[in-house]
Amino acid sequence: MANTVALPDMNRSTSSKGLNASWVCPEFKVSGVFSSNMVLQRDEPICIWGFSDAPGTKVTGEFMGEKAECIVGNDNKWTLTFSQHAYEKTGQKMEISDDRGNRAQFSDILIGDVWFVGGQSNAELTLAPCAPFTPEIEFDENDNFRLFTQTQAYPYMHPEKCESPYPDVINPEWMWKKPDKSASKAFSAMGWYFAKELTRVIDVPIGMIMIAAGGAYMRELLPVELAHACGYTSGNRVREGGYFNSLIHPFIPLPFKAMLFFQGESEGGRREYAEKYDKELKLLVEDERKRFHRNFPFYNVQLSDYGDETFGFFKCLDIVRVKQVDAKNIIDDYSLTVDMDLGAPEGYEDWAHSPLKKPLALRLAKLALSKEYGIGMEEDALSSMPVMAERKGDEIEITFAPINKALQIRGKTHLESIRRPLPGFSVGAYETRVPAPAYITDKNKVTVRLPEGADGSMVNYAYSIRITRETANLENENHLPCPSFSIKVQ
């Protein structure tokens, strides 16, 4: 899926707010976004930027036989632009210098597709605790993908870097790495399994960049001005806009392919946050598309089950899950991968962070391969989603899409599932929900029987804080679970 974009003016700040006061302009530096072992986005002009304390001096670069030059602006920024290239698996070199004798050299640069991994702790969760659940995986630093790891802990420990947009990568030790065992185990498990699967199937180098932060609220991922527009004047672990300033802003406007996203548990703690989740998610996606100058595809994950402890922490997860489905109606190029059947195994000590990230990543990868690379049918990688609910006497008929994917009860075929009771359905608005009998009655239809006297304005599925495989067992013939949802009855 190609994105045609206008190159941004890198000599302008990307925020209406001033740059971070704790940042000191170096004598000469290439942005920390770039290093040896990096992956640059294919089929896009290659922009390399950096900083200098000498406005007016000349910066020169050479990459893949091409030379480029620019002048340092009055804002101490410079940008070199090289031609776009198709994917390149052979490591390339880059050299950048200024006319004062400063020099930077990078090696083993690949050209392919760059993906961001955003969200909160289930996106940031590293491979280390998940790897024991997938003993079959192999670590090979020569795999065709590279990793750029950022962590929530560093900006939390350096709040001054969160106060306003930071121009550069906030930790000078963060850089691109090959996927050896050490770098892999420190990276997002969801992102690592995703890259491993993509490069198993396609020949294109993949670059993965972590911009997730454990515990992040939407108001911390949004820029400060949008957080304020939403009525927030503070954050939780960092100030409002803090993770945008520290983990996202330094990468603007790096070209990239698409974003994986897993977030919403924090908003699940309070109803006032949960009920506007879809609207705030729309703000985040639209703002980042504007800042990065690209309508990138957005791959969201519907929140999983979190164990009995959920009731004491995330009291409105059910609302967030429903809003994640509703967001499909207001966000363009938005995909939702269902994860509610992949919660932590029974007895696993970390009830909030399931180690079952490989099956989730495989679902995401299958969808991405179909949408972005034309491998496989998109409908084979989608959960069945409700598209319409119609009142028919004392029954409500729900129609699901894709229309040619048969619904079934987990563990049974479609024919075996017809007319068998389906758990997890209810009718009524949030405060008036009551359980309702439900059955698969056609290939892509479920019929819900309206209890006498019940509110029939809404029909719901898996609309509860705690979900189990037993209380929500509706899937389609691709063995992909249907999402939690609440839709209006016509």
Side-chain angles (χ1 to χ4, degrees):
M1 184 178 297
N3 289 310
T4 302
V5 301
L7 286 175
D9 182 356
M10 285 300 300
N11 287 325
R12 295 181 181 177
S13 170
T14 54
S15 172
S16 59
K17 306 295 182 182
L19 292 179
N20 195 286
S22 68
W23 182 74
V24 177
C25 182
E27 178 182 336
F28 178 81
K29 185 180 184 298
V30 180
S31 168
V33 168
F34 309 103
S35 73
S36 294
N37 303 312
M38 63 183 161
V39 177
L40 298 171
Q41 180 61 43
R42 61 173 169 158
D43 302 326
E44 298 266 9
I46 294 172
C47 292
I48 307 296
W49 65 87
F51 315 96
S52 168
D53 64 359
T57 57
K58 185 169 70 173
V59 178
T60 303
E62 185 169 353
F63 179 59
M64 295 184 71
E66 180 183 6
K67 291 186 177 180
E69 60 182 43
C70 66
I71 301 298
V72 179
N74 291 331
D75 57 359
N76 302 112
K77 297 179 183 179
W78 54 263
T79 300
L80 292 170
T81 302
F82 298 97
S83 301
Q84 66 185 38
H85 293 271
Y87 75 88
E88 177 58 69
K89 297 193 303 178
T90 302
Q92 304 293 313
K93 294 181 179 180
M94 179 182 291
E95 185 170 306
I96 299 173
S97 60
D98 69 0
D99 54 13
R100 296 186 296 166
N102 295 299
R103 186 177 305 274
Q105 294 177 310
F106 302 135
S107 61
D108 205 10
I109 301 167
L110 307 181
I111 299 177
D113 286 337
V114 178
W115 289 72
F116 280 129
V117 182
Q120 59 180 111
S121 56
N122 270 291
E124 188 184 8
L125 180 70
T126 65
L127 183 63
C130 303
F133 289 82
T134 54
E136 73 281 3
I137 63 171
E138 297 179 353
F139 299 101
D140 185 350
E141 70 169 24
N142 295 314
D143 275 342
N144 201 23
F145 63 93
R146 305 290 171 81
L147 309 170
F148 194 108
T149 302
Q150 299 187 108
T151 67
Q152 174 271 336
Y154 191 84
Y156 175 67
M157 296 299 293
H158 297 82
E160 73 281 0
K161 298 181 185 294
C162 300
E163 279 303 305
S164 54
Y166 207 79
D168 202 2
V169 173
I170 62 173
N171 185 344
E173 295 183 3
W174 291 343
M175 62 188 67
W176 287 95
K177 294 183 179 180
K178 294 183 177 182
D180 61 20
K181 189 173 184 178
S182 176
S184 294
K185 286 196 169 185
F187 193 77
S188 158
M190 180 178 76
W192 189 92
Y193 287 122
F194 176 85
K196 187 81 167 178
E197 178 65 9
L198 252 59
T199 53
R200 184 189 70 81
V201 178
I202 62 175
D203 205 30
V204 178
I206 298 295
M208 304 296 298
I209 301 174
M210 281 177 62
I211 57 170
Y217 282 79
M218 194 70 71
R219 62 183 182 269
E220 296 164 331
L221 297 170
L222 288 168
V224 173
E225 53 267 36
L226 281 184
H228 289 171
C230 292
Y232 301 114
T233 57
S234 64
N236 182 37
R237 295 179 67 83
V238 297
R239 68 158 297 175
E240 74 282 12
Y243 291 131
F244 168 83
N245 290 338
S246 57
L247 299 180
I248 300 172
H249 182 269
F251 286 86
I252 297 171
L254 183 74
F256 68 101
K257 182 73 171 177
M259 183 181 294
L260 307 180
F261 196 77
F262 193 146
Q263 191 271 343
E265 295 96 333
S266 290
E267 275 70 25
R270 291 177 61 175
R271 184 171 176 180
E272 63 181 289
Y273 302 152
E275 287 186 335
K276 53 184 179 178
Y277 185 83
D278 55 335
K279 306 298 190 302
E280 292 183 358
L281 183 62
K282 175 181 168 70
L283 284 176
L284 180 141
V285 174
E286 290 184 345
D287 179 74
E288 291 186 357
R289 284 175 173 169
K290 181 178 179 180
R291 291 175 187 273
F292 282 96
H293 299 270
R294 61 196 51 252
N295 291 320
F296 58 85
F298 188 79
Y299 289 79
N300 201 11
V301 176
Q302 189 178 49
L303 302 182
S304 68
D305 176 52
Y306 293 93
D308 290 335
E309 294 86 347
T310 299
F311 297 100
F313 291 89
F314 307 139
K315 299 178 181 179
C316 298
L317 283 181
D318 47 357
I319 298 177
V320 175
R321 291 192 190 100
V322 164
K323 294 298 182 181
Q324 289 176 320
V325 174
D326 292 347
K328 286 178 61 65
N329 298 322
I330 59 174
I331 302 176
D332 294 333
D333 206 352
Y334 171 99
S335 302
L336 186 65
T337 295
V338 181
D339 187 52
M340 65 185 186
D341 60 326
L342 298 175
E346 186 175 352
Y348 187 70
E349 60 182 12
D350 188 349
W351 59 271
H353 303 97
S354 172
L356 304 181
K357 292 297 186 283
K358 182 179 179 181
L360 169 61
L362 293 181
R363 290 176 184 176
L364 287 164
K366 187 174 183 180
L367 184 56
L369 285 167
S370 65
K371 287 188 62 179
E372 312 303 330
Y373 303 97
I375 298 175
M377 299 293 291
E378 183 177 343
E379 62 185 23
D380 291 334
L382 294 170
S383 289
S384 291
M385 297 281 175
V387 293
M388 183 171 58
E390 294 180 282
R391 177 77 176 265
K392 296 185 176 182
D394 62 354
E395 294 181 332
I396 299 170
E397 184 180 78
I398 310 170
T399 302
F400 290 78
I403 61 174
N404 62 337
K405 293 299 175 183
L407 297 170
Q408 61 192 34
I409 294 171
R410 187 182 295 112
K412 299 184 182 299
T413 67
H414 171 69
L415 291 178
E416 292 171 336
S417 303
I418 292 288
R419 295 292 176 181
R420 287 180 177 266
L422 276 175
F425 281 85
S426 63
V427 294
Y430 191 72
E431 290 83 359
T432 62
R433 289 170 294 172
V434 295
Y439 312 88
I440 297 172
T441 50
D442 205 342
K443 187 172 186 178
N444 68 322
K445 297 181 186 295
V446 167
T447 297
V448 179
R449 190 172 300 155
L450 190 63
E452 186 176 353
D455 173 10
S457 62
M458 305 290 293
V459 62
N460 321 296
Y461 172 68
Y463 199 10
S464 60
I465 303 172
R466 182 76 210 277
I467 301 171
T468 68
R469 291 174 63 86
E470 291 71 35
T471 59
N473 61 6
L474 180 62
E475 64 178 23
N476 63 20
E477 63 186 73
N478 297 325
H479 303 291
L480 293 173
C482 294
S484 299
F485 65 81
S486 177
I487 60 174
K488 191 172 183 178
V489 178
Q490 298 181 10

